[in-house]
Amino acid sequence: MGKQKARWAAAIALCGALLGLVFSAYSTVDYVAHLDRQLHDVRCSFIPGAAAAEAAENACRTALYSAYSAVLRDRIWGGIPISLFANGAFAFFIAFAAYLLVSGNRAPRRGSQFLALAGCTPLVVSIGMAIISWVELGSFCKTCVGTYVASLLVAVGGALGWWLERQAARRGPDPARPDADDGGPASAQTPQKLGPASLILTWFALLGLFAVAPALLYHETVPSYAKRVKGCGTLDSAADPKKALIHFSSAGATQPVFMVVDPLCATCGVFHQRLMVEGIFEQLDTTLVLFPLDSECNWNLTTPLHPGACVVSEAVICGEERALQVLEWGYEEHERLLAAGKAKGGDKRVLAMVEARWPALKGCIGDQQTKKKLDEMIRFAVTNKLPVATPQFFVGTTRLCDEDSDIGLPYALRKLAPALARR
Amino acid sequence: MNPGAIVGAVVGAALIGGALVGVNNQVQAAQERLRTGITAVDQPKVAVADDAEADYCTPKFKEVLQRVLHACGLISGGRRGCKPADVQRLAAISDDEFNDLFAPLQERGGVIMFADGSDKLDDDGVKLVDELWEDRRGARYFFVVARASKTGTRKFNQALSHRRANSVKFRIEDHFKEPDLEKKMGLMWLGYDFAQLGTDYCKWNVSKPGKGCNAQAINRSAFVSWVDCRL
């Protein structure tokens, strides 16, 4: 076996594992910071540890809050982040690659075989997560991509090492090229041993131990939130005497909720998507309160935070039985709609975009009755003294605390609405 | 012994140990912040949704309306509406000052005009009352300030302006079935005793535009408007 080449393979795996440990460690730190139930910045860069992203709604936050970022999320507040498993696994791969790198010819051939096999596991997980990111979340988080690349390097290093080992085994010892560079004179004449197959099992057991140890410690030390999740206030009056609020529910929906949203609020869109992905939305008997953060119609603002949101809100009202579709369209297109709203003649531009997509709503948007309904929705917020913020989510009439709406959502919902079963 | 095995074992032990210590420290730090309520990042205070507060809501305007609202039963409950003597006493300002307070409502409100000696809302009056009522936006209170011209006795005109204010109230009550109307609508009837309108009010949003508006006609009226003030 070409000793230098084999060492290159181990070095590649070592680099990948180091990179993976750094990215997964940053993900873990970001995740664990949220255990204080506060809002935190999230690192999101290909450069490990680079300054946290300013924009709250970035792909890393989407990934962090998603159902796929942790396990046991409905039993433990925040769940156990999967990055913890990655931490342990990459730590093991660093140690193992260092072992192969230093040992050279002294390491049994089983070592290369094991690294080739076990090195695939992070890659398999990464491929699965990448597919989820693409299909379910619609975005790739840079920190996650960093971990995917690291996993690829570990797998490549492992596969290359095994291939070189196979080549060397076929050739047999090369008497013309005594190897004196791999661990001392003793190894120069010694062919690389195969080693017992049980070594592979032992190393897999060690890998498993490394992978679960941080998660087990986390499970044992994570604070109890049982008494903390009680909701943040209640609706003073959930009555809707003028039938202004929008109602939608799926067949079999059991849990009444109120959602206070702005159709151009990115966080609302992310929250909505999370309810969908986690299989919660279909169980909700939803009453929608539109609260556009746009001073054009909302007297609680002096300047528009989301220009054009009043027009899109009216479109949602006009959508009637398709209100949910119009709302989801607003979430999907919020960046374009906001850009149009901020330009000169903003509301007209937004109206043109809405009418181009939903021609049936022409004539209804801007109508006095539509405006009146929107006023009534905003008045609902006044009557209930709601914060001027979106989204707000009420389980029954109990408001879900903002601090429970990110990684603690499944746990908080399970506490506030035990009937909500996870998909 | 293979030095590679030693290196691997030491590196592995160090890394897993470091990972465990790091996780433990991070969790403990978060737990401490959770326990003490110390925030890692200062969060901006969020306003609470409230009634509209327009620029015309000057302290004087709000003071007068506040007194009237309290005394006339809107806020504290009890009797409905204020008669001329009450308004004059409560407002504690001159006629012109009283009218000036309402001047910023030119765009927001309207003047419902009545026939001589009548308290009946005609079609134009009904239309304008409905339009103004429906254009609530973020306002909390709806004011009706009814007047009468100087034709006839003081007592007759006080009663007439009272009936005119009630005509507006009954229209809204019957047509819109508004819940808690009593808590939203402030009625004042002034007869001809206090704060008569000048002919410049003929240029406001009147229910009979261009139909013989003069010093007498403009006071056979009820001024109605939502008031966008937090009182």
Side-chain angles (χ1 to χ4, degrees):
Chain A
M1 181 172 177
K3 297 299 171 297
Q4 289 301 336
K5 285 182 183 172
R7 282 187 160 149
W8 271 112
I12 290 170
L14 178 63
C15 288
L18 277 168
L19 200 62
L21 181 68
V22 172
F23 277 118
S24 62
Y26 277 116
S27 291
T28 303
V29 168
D30 283 344
Y31 205 95
V32 175
H34 285 75
L35 288 181
D36 61 7
R37 296 173 87 215
Q38 295 171 30
L39 192 65
H40 293 272
D41 287 335
V42 177
R43 291 171 183 84
C44 202
S45 170
F46 287 128
I47 302 162
E54 284 293 321
E57 294 81 21
N58 56 40
C60 289
R61 195 174 290 281
T62 305
L64 187 91
Y65 293 170
S66 79
Y68 309 100
S69 63
V71 295
L72 300 178
R73 295 166 76 245
D74 56 344
R75 294 175 189 279
I76 300 166
W77 193 94
I80 298 175
I82 56 167
S83 59
L84 273 174
F85 298 96
N87 275 349
F90 283 121
F92 175 84
F93 283 117
I94 290 171
F96 198 82
Y99 158 62
L100 293 183
L101 189 66
V102 175
S103 298
N105 209 28
R106 290 186 177 200
R109 282 158 49 201
R110 295 290 186 196
S112 305
Q113 293 172 6
F114 168 75
L115 189 60
L117 277 174
C120 290
T121 52
L123 183 63
V124 169
V125 175
S126 289
I127 289 170
M129 298 306 289
I131 292 170
I132 286 170
S133 291
W134 186 29
V135 175
E136 296 281 354
L137 308 182
S139 60
F140 288 103
C141 108
K142 288 181 178 176
T143 311
C144 309
V145 172
T147 312
Y148 305 158
V149 171
S151 303
L152 181 67
L153 285 175
V154 172
V156 166
L160 184 64
W162 192 21
W163 182 75
L164 290 170
E165 181 268 317
R166 298 274 297 165
Q167 296 286 90
R170 278 200 200 104
R171 281 199 306 269
D174 183 358
R177 286 189 60 199
D179 293 312
D181 62 335
D182 65 337
S187 64
Q189 289 81 30
T190 312
Q192 196 174 10
K193 289 177 187 168
L194 177 63
S198 60
L199 271 177
I200 290 184
L201 289 178
T202 307
W203 286 326
F204 263 118
L206 266 177
L207 170 60
L209 190 64
F210 268 63
V212 300
L216 284 176
L217 177 72
Y218 182 89
H219 181 265
E220 291 307 308
T221 55
V222 73
S224 169
Y225 294 83
K227 291 180 182 170
R228 293 182 187 274
V229 178
K230 290 179 287 194
C232 286
T234 55
L235 289 174
D236 291 339
S237 171
D240 177 25
K242 296 187 179 174
K243 309 284 180 211
L245 307 184
I246 298 171
H247 196 82
F248 35 67
S249 73
S250 312
T254 52
Q255 179 61 52
V257 298
F258 284 83
M259 287 176 74
V260 182
V261 300
D262 172 342
L264 298 191
C265 138
T267 317
C268 300
V270 170
F271 187 76
H272 182 83
Q273 188 190 28
R274 289 183 61 211
L275 292 177
M276 291 285 196
V277 170
E278 304 219 12
I280 294 169
F281 192 82
E282 63 203 34
Q283 301 176 58
L284 303 179
D285 183 17
T286 306
T287 302
L288 187 77
V289 183
L290 292 164
F291 192 74
L293 299 178
D294 180 359
S295 54
E296 182 63 28
C297 61
N298 191 338
W299 55 86
N300 289 287
L301 290 96
T302 49
T303 52
L305 195 63
H306 296 151
C310 293
V311 175
V312 183
S313 295
E314 287 184 29
V316 175
I317 292 169
C318 293
E320 296 183 343
E321 69 276 6
R322 288 192 296 172
L324 182 58
Q325 288 170 265
V326 180
L327 179 68
E328 287 175 341
W329 174 79
Y331 288 151
E332 283 166 21
E333 297 289 333
H334 79 274
E335 284 181 354
R336 282 181 55 228
L337 289 162
L338 276 176
K342 284 174 186 166
K344 198 178 175 187
D347 277 355
K348 283 184 182 170
R349 285 170 186 258
V350 173
L351 180 63
M353 288 172 71
V354 171
E355 289 182 345
R357 173 63 185 83
W358 306 96
L361 306 184
K362 271 183 190 170
C364 175
I365 302 168
D367 178 76
Q368 196 60 34
Q369 287 307 312
T370 310
K371 286 184 181 297
K372 203 178 160 198
K373 275 193 174 180
L374 186 54
D375 282 350
E376 285 302 327
M377 290 195 190
I378 300 169
R379 290 218 67 81
F380 182 89
V382 174
T383 304
N384 287 289
K385 301 179 182 67
L386 301 184
V388 182
T390 55
Q392 294 176 56
F393 187 80
F394 294 83
V395 180
T397 56
T398 304
R399 181 166 178 249
L400 179 78
C401 299
D402 291 341
E403 51 268 38
D404 292 323
S405 65
D406 43 48
I407 62 171
L409 179 66
Y411 179 86
L413 285 182
R414 196 165 180 258
K415 286 280 290 179
L416 297 175
L420 279 181
R422 286 199 70 211
R423 188 170 60 178
Chain B
M1 190 175 177
N2 177 5
I6 296 170
V7 168
V10 169
V11 169
L15 287 176
I16 197 66
L20 294 176
V21 169
V23 167
N24 187 58
N25 288 348
Q26 287 285 321
V27 172
Q28 295 305 323
Q31 191 164 18
E32 186 63 12
R33 292 197 300 274
L34 184 69
R35 193 179 61 77
T36 58
I38 295 169
T39 54
V41 182
D42 285 339
Q43 304 294 333
K45 284 190 176 175
V46 179
V48 173
D50 204 343
D51 301 310
E53 177 82 343
D55 292 340
Y56 60 76
C57 301
T58 60
K60 185 69 185 171
F61 183 69
K62 289 166 80 165
E63 186 190 345
V64 170
L65 290 188
Q66 191 82 263
R67 278 191 230 148
V68 171
L69 287 172
H70 272 290
C72 303
L74 244 80
I75 292 175
S76 53
R79 66 197 174 116
R80 299 286 320 134
C82 273
K83 58 184 186 289
D86 294 332
V87 176
Q88 199 161 14
R89 180 173 51 80
L90 292 166
I93 52 176
S94 71
D95 300 40
D96 288 344
E97 283 174 325
F98 182 84
N99 284 339
D100 286 348
L101 288 175
F102 289 88
L105 295 171
Q106 182 170 2
E107 300 299 322
R108 187 80 163 104
V111 182
I112 313 299
M113 302 188 64
F114 293 85
D116 190 10
S118 170
D119 57 46
K120 188 177 181 301
L121 278 172
D122 60 17
D123 290 347
D124 294 330
V126 167
K127 184 168 174 285
L128 187 55
V129 166
D130 289 359
E131 279 175 12
L132 292 169
W133 176 259
E134 294 217 77
D135 188 24
R136 179 180 181 181
R137 291 174 251 169
R140 169 77 177 81
Y141 295 107
F142 189 78
F143 274 84
V144 180
V145 187
R147 294 177 172 83
S149 66
K150 290 183 176 172
T151 312
T153 64
R154 168 176 289 177
K155 196 175 176 185
F156 171 80
N157 279 303
Q158 281 189 6
L160 179 62
S161 64
H162 188 182
R163 290 199 304 275
R164 284 173 176 161
N166 277 337
S167 294
V168 175
K169 180 183 172 232
F170 295 152
R171 166 65 194 173
I172 292 168
E173 210 165 52
D174 295 344
H175 187 67
F176 293 102
K177 315 285 184 204
E178 183 73 22
D180 296 329
L181 183 65
E182 302 285 304
K183 292 179 184 170
K184 293 172 188 156
M185 187 181 282
L187 297 183
M188 286 180 263
W189 55 94
L190 308 180
Y192 61 65
D193 304 46
F194 181 60
Q196 287 272 286
L197 299 176
T199 50
D200 48 334
Y201 283 85
C202 293
K203 295 172 193 159
W204 283 38
N205 182 17
V206 294
S207 60
K208 294 177 183 301
K211 290 184 182 172
C213 187
N214 56 35
Q216 294 293 313
I218 193 65
N219 284 294
R220 293 179 198 122
S221 65
F223 169 74
V224 297
S225 180
W226 283 104
V227 176
D228 303 286
C229 298
R230 293 170 189 167
L231 300 173

